[in-house]
């Protein structure tokens, strides 16, 4: 199953080029917002991707459901090849729109022990700060 649209692939590769360009110029690496969110429909695994190289290796925040989300690389081909019970596979959250840079999601996920719980805490905090709690 294809997880990326051409538009999302372009955004992911642009972020990778921006990071490489910053490194080459001796600048601080950018902290982009995640472009795509992938999840297992039958488990706790969740991934937030910010960039992709020419080989289809994504970079972002990975949470396999063991209580220790971490920044790192993961393969698009491997995500697309996963076969789960009931004929399901890894899915892309079609409605995902990042509200924060990756570093914020990573900090919230580490503190909460999962990306999903971290996202809930971020949403709750944003509502409180806006007076909509």
């Amino acid at each position: 199953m294809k997880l990326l649209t051409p538009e999302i692939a372009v955004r992911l590769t642009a972020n990778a080029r921006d990071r490489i360009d910053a490194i080459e110029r001796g600048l601080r690496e950018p902290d982009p917002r995640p472009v795509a969110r992938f999840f297992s429909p039958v488990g706790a695994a969740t991934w937030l991707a910010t960039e992709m190289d020419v080989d289809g290796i994504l970079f972002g925040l990975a949470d396999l459901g063991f209580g220790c989300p971490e920044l790192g690389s993961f393969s698009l081909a491997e995500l697309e090849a996963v076969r789960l019970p009931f004929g399901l596979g890894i899915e892309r959250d079609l409605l995902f729109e990042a509200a924060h840079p990756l570093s914020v999601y990573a900090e919230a996920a580490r503190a909460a022990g999962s990306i999903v719980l971290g996202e809930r805490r971020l949403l709750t905090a944003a509502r409180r700060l806006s007076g909509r709690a």
Side-chain angles (χ1 to χ4, degrees):
M1 169 198 261
K2 288 285 190 192
L3 290 173
L4 299 181
T5 64
E7 295 80 15
I8 292 172
V10 165
R11 290 174 54 201
L12 290 166
T13 55
N15 283 345
R17 281 193 306 275
D18 289 348
R19 183 183 54 79
I20 291 167
D21 183 55
I23 291 169
E24 289 174 350
R25 296 174 56 204
L27 302 173
R28 184 178 183 174
E29 289 185 40
D31 184 15
R33 291 179 180 201
V35 175
R37 181 181 194 271
F38 308 104
F39 64 95
S40 167
V42 296
T46 307
W47 298 263
L48 298 178
T50 57
E51 61 186 69
M52 181 174 66
D53 70 15
V54 295
D55 296 321
I57 302 301
L58 298 159
F59 179 82
L61 184 62
D63 177 6
L64 300 180
F66 301 123
C68 51
E70 60 184 49
L71 293 171
S73 299
F74 42 98
S75 166
L76 175 61
E78 288 182 13
L79 288 179
E80 290 177 337
V82 169
R83 295 297 164 248
L84 300 166
F86 313 110
L88 298 172
I90 300 301
E91 297 184 20
R92 179 173 49 86
D93 182 343
L94 300 178
L95 301 177
F96 177 75
E97 210 170 302
H100 310 284
L102 184 62
S103 62
V104 173
Y105 285 100
E107 180 64 28
R110 286 185 191 122
S114 84
I115 291 174
V116 172
L117 293 176
E119 288 173 323
R120 286 183 189 153
R121 288 182 180 182
L122 288 172
L123 183 58
T124 299
R127 285 182 178 152
R128 281 188 191 138
L129 290 172
S130 71
R132 294 183 302 187

